[in-house]
Structures are given as structure tokens and as C-alpha cells.
Amino acid sequence: MGELRGTHVPVLLERCLELLAPALGRNGRTVHVDATLGLAGHAEAVLEAHPNTVLIGLDRDTEALAHSRVRLARFADRIHLEHAVYDELPEVLDRLGYPAIDGILFDLGVSSLQLDAPDRGFAYAQDAPLDMRMDQTRGVTAEEVVNTYGHPELARVLRVYGEEKFAGRIASAIIRERERARITSSARLAELVRESIPAPARRTGGHPAKRTFQALRIEVNKELAALETALPAALDKLTVGGRMVVLSYHSLEDRLTKQALADRVRSKGPVDLPVELPGSGPTFRLLSRGAELAGEAEVAANPRAASVRLRAAERLDPEAAQQGRTDRERYRRRVKAMHQPGTGSPGSATDSRSTPGDGSGTDEEGEGT
Ligand SMILES: C[S@@+](CC[C@H](N)C(=O)[O-])C[C@H]1O[C@@H](n2cnc3c(N)ncnc32)[C@H](O)[C@@H]1O
């Protein structure tokens, strides 16, 4: 195994550390889960910053775990590195004897290790067998998907997971080609996609095969189904004051994250009551305003940061949650008053690093995410 340190640059590292610090830096031993350990860039920084924190690192990729084990060797007495899909977190915690956790990070998608590996088939830019499984010990490969799915299913995968406008044409080209010969290589697939896309469209939006490869990767690894289960399960495991940070690189991942958080920051009590009924208050508050983006300098230094969307939340003390409704009422009254003629505008709820038009999103504002 080669020395990999530094080959996967952790995205929004300082911001992640800043968001996790109040939860992990509390007195006594704290527990942090890195649900997508990868090459342990974020995990190493957390362990360095918090000498009393135990790390539980999950990855479905055995190669990533092997590299991380080497990288984190000096922290061996306070790490557990587990081969698991992140929706298996509750079982992993039970097995390791940790009923609750203080922090959790999801840094979704693929690592540079996977993208750059010549034999894994994730990259359209290099020829490799069409595998794309993050866990090469189990599951269906991309080769099986492109050679066995019917036209409607293939087109759906490309359209939904790749947001590919030419999904139908690409699916037709795949089916025509596989009747001639089985499609086994990433280069052949990339070429087929390029040929299916009208010439003017090829000149915009990056490599023409990018969206198809992303879609197949999401399908092969059932990424969205795992995320949809994992997020609520992870939130359930957080202690009061515990924090979750999610880095998404795709609108569907970000949408699932936003929904999972919205469900917890919203009051479930009647809207017109000035106080929360017991058990109906929000259980989390948002720490991010809308979805935070990487700054220009980071994107210039690390192109992977270009599509990142960060969302974060903290579990509330139930008493603070009771208080939430009155705070919310106060906030609403303040905004309403500011809208009265002659009182000026309510001001922007977004900060400059948030996604445009998506600024409603802190607990202060109550419901928006
Ligand atoms: C973007 S990388 C993480 C990089 C890491 N934060 C670092 O600094 O090196 C994502 C990792 O998550 C893993 N992964 C993706 N989906 C997963 C899932 N459902 N369960 C467990 N691991 C997953 C991938 O195998 C990959 O190694």
C-alpha cells in the first residue's frame, strides 16, 4: 500500500472542526463518528484537536479502511475502524458498547482513492473494468447494471441520479451496443455516452460522461437509500448538545439531508399555541444557514469542493426546545414589526456562503430549511 497522506484533500475541514468543537470539546470522554472515513483526513484532524475523543470510523470500502488504519495508527487506543455501510451505525454502536455519540460527520460520495484507482471503474477519464462498487466484497457492479437493466430503468437511473437530459438517448445507445457486444470497460461506456449527446451539448457542462458515471455509481452503491435510513438513525444517537455535520455533493443527497433536519427542527405542536406542548417541540436546531458552500479560494485549490453543500444541526436540551416556541413567536413578531411601513426591511437571513434563495434555515427562524 502506497503512502496516501494528502491525496484526498478534506473539504471544508476548518468549518467542520469549528462546528463539531462545542460537542466534542466538552468535559470528559466524547464520542465522534466519522460515517464516511475515507482516507481519514477529517478524522485525523478531529483526533488531533480533541485528545479526549474516541473515534468510530465507518467505511464500506476495505481499501479505505486499510489506509486509514495506517494513517491513524498513533491514535490506536481511541479509535474503532469498522467495515460497515453507514446505515448500520446503530448495530455498530451496540456492538462496540456506545449507547450515544457526541458528534457525527458524513462526507458523502467517493474519495480520491476510489476515483484515482485504475481498476475500480469510477472515473470516465481512465479505462478500467466497469465495477464502481465502493464495497468490492459484495453487490452488483456497474457492468451488470449497464448490461442487464431494461431501457426504462436505465433511463430513469441516468435521469434521476445523473440529472442527465439525454438519458433516453444514452440508454438506447447502451442497449444497441450491448446487443453487439457486452460493455465491460469504462472507456467504451464514456465513448458511447459522448456519441449519444448532440455535438453542441458536448461543449458545455464538463465531460459528457460525468453525469452518467455519477448516476451509475449512485445506483450501484444504493447511496440514497442508505443515506435516507442513516440520517435519522444518526440523529437519534446524538446526546443533548451533540452535533451532526453533513457534506453533500449532489442535489439529491442535499435534499435528503435538508428533509431529515427539517423534520427535527420543526415544532410538531399546534401553530397557534404560544408555548410548546410537552414532547412536541423541536429536538434539534440548525447550525448552518441554508446550505453553506466552500469559498472561492478552497474551490480553486480543491476542485472537489466546488459542489459541496454543508448542513449541520445540534440536539437541543428538551427544556430549551420548550422555550423554542416562545423564541419563535418573538422572532415572528419582530419580523412582522420590521415589515410595517417606515420600519425598514427584515434584513437578510442568509450569509454570503449560503446557497442563494435558501437562506431560511436556522432555528432562530423556526421552520425554514
Ligand atoms: C468523500 S470520501 C470521505 C473522505 C474523508 N472525509 C477524508 O477526509 O479522507 C467518502 C467515503 O465514504 C465512503 N462511503 C460512501 N458511502 C458510504 C456508505 N453508505 N457507508 C459507508 N461508507 C461510505 C466511501 O467509500 C469513501 O471512502
Side-chain angles (χ1 to χ4, degrees):
M1 190 189 313
E3 174 56 66
L4 275 176
R5 183 180 287 262
T7 57
H8 182 98
V9 182
V11 174
L12 288 175
L13 178 61
E14 289 310 318
R15 182 66 177 137
C16 290
L17 290 174
E18 179 186 34
L19 284 163
L20 291 167
L24 300 181
R26 294 182 284 185
N27 284 341
R29 186 195 70 174
T30 54
V31 181
H32 175 62
V33 173
D34 192 317
T36 52
L37 186 66
L39 299 184
H42 287 99
E44 183 181 54
V46 163
L47 286 163
E48 272 167 359
H50 299 286
N52 296 324
T53 295
V54 170
L55 171 90
I56 300 168
L58 311 183
D59 207 296
R60 65 197 303 181
D61 185 333
T62 50
E63 213 179 332
L65 284 166
H67 280 288
S68 292
R69 211 170 286 288
V70 174
R71 183 172 189 170
L72 301 179
R74 67 187 189 284
F75 305 107
D77 58 343
R78 55 189 178 103
I79 61 173
H80 304 273
L81 306 189
E82 299 288 315
H83 182 216
V85 180
Y86 45 55
D87 61 5
E88 295 166 331
L89 176 67
E91 295 85 64
V92 172
L93 293 178
D94 281 352
R95 185 157 38 77
L96 296 175
Y98 293 99
I101 59 176
D102 301 286
I104 183 161
L105 172 72
F106 288 85
D107 177 18
L108 302 171
V110 276
S111 69
S112 308
L113 169 72
Q114 293 159 333
L115 270 181
D116 299 344
D119 58 340
R120 308 263 321 240
F122 286 104
Y124 44 81
Q126 40 185 323
D127 195 13
L130 270 178
D131 188 326
M132 295 200 200
R133 286 170 305 164
M134 290 182 189
D135 181 353
Q136 290 189 297
T137 66
R138 54 185 161 174
V140 166
T141 64
E143 180 180 329
E144 285 168 82
V145 171
V146 296
N147 288 286
T148 61
Y149 278 27
H151 185 282
E153 196 49 15
L154 258 184
R156 187 194 66 83
V157 166
L158 302 186
R159 192 176 49 251
V160 177
Y161 298 158
E163 297 171 291
E164 174 54 73
K165 272 194 298 197
F166 302 106
R169 293 169 71 135
I170 297 170
S172 302
I174 288 175
I175 287 176
R176 267 196 313 277
E177 173 69 5
R178 77 191 195 197
E179 280 165 2
R180 212 181 52 77
R182 189 172 172 86
I183 303 165
T184 57
S185 88
S186 54
R188 182 67 197 116
L189 179 63
E191 182 55 22
L192 266 178
V193 175
R194 209 187 65 80
E195 287 164 8
S196 317
I197 292 180
R202 276 183 224 154
R203 288 192 278 276
T204 57
H207 193 291
K210 185 174 161 190
R211 290 179 295 277
T212 293
F213 274 61
Q214 171 188 285
L216 289 172
R217 191 203 84 209
I218 292 175
E219 173 66 9
V220 163
N221 295 291
K222 304 285 180 229
E223 290 179 29
L224 299 174
L227 187 61
E228 196 168 7
T229 313
L231 291 172
L235 289 167
D236 286 345
K237 288 291 178 187
L238 283 169
T239 53
V240 168
R243 291 180 163 211
M244 175 160 98
V245 179
V246 184
L247 305 181
S248 308
Y249 298 87
H250 183 279
S251 60
L252 296 175
E253 294 168 347
D254 186 48
R255 197 175 310 153
L256 287 179
T257 307
K258 182 172 157 175
Q259 282 164 358
L261 296 181
D263 190 48
R264 307 297 175 111
V265 300
R266 192 179 287 141
S267 162
K268 299 192 171 54
V271 278
D272 46 357
L273 278 189
V275 290
E276 291 292 358
L277 296 175
S280 68
T283 48
F284 280 79
R285 70 181 183 104
L286 293 174
L287 301 168
S288 48
R289 292 178 179 267
E292 290 183 17
L293 314 178
E296 277 174 27
E298 179 167 359
V299 174
N302 182 11
R304 198 180 139 65
S307 53
V308 74
R309 299 280 180 280
L310 177 150
R311 293 182 191 265
E314 179 188 81
R315 183 184 276 282
L316 287 173
D317 177 330
E319 275 187 23
Q322 285 292 116
Q323 183 62 29
R325 176 58 65 88
T326 31
D327 288 347
R328 226 168 58 170
E329 287 304 314
R330 225 176 281 132
Y331 176 79
R332 283 214 183 95
R333 277 201 298 273
R334 207 173 72 222
V335 170
K336 209 166 150 193
M338 289 165 96
H339 274 298
Q340 303 299 324
T343 56
S345 86
S348 165
T350 57
D351 74 16
S352 58
R353 298 196 305 148
S354 300
T355 41
D358 193 17
S360 59
T362 63
D363 61 312
E364 222 189 347
E365 294 142 63
E367 61 275 301
T369 48

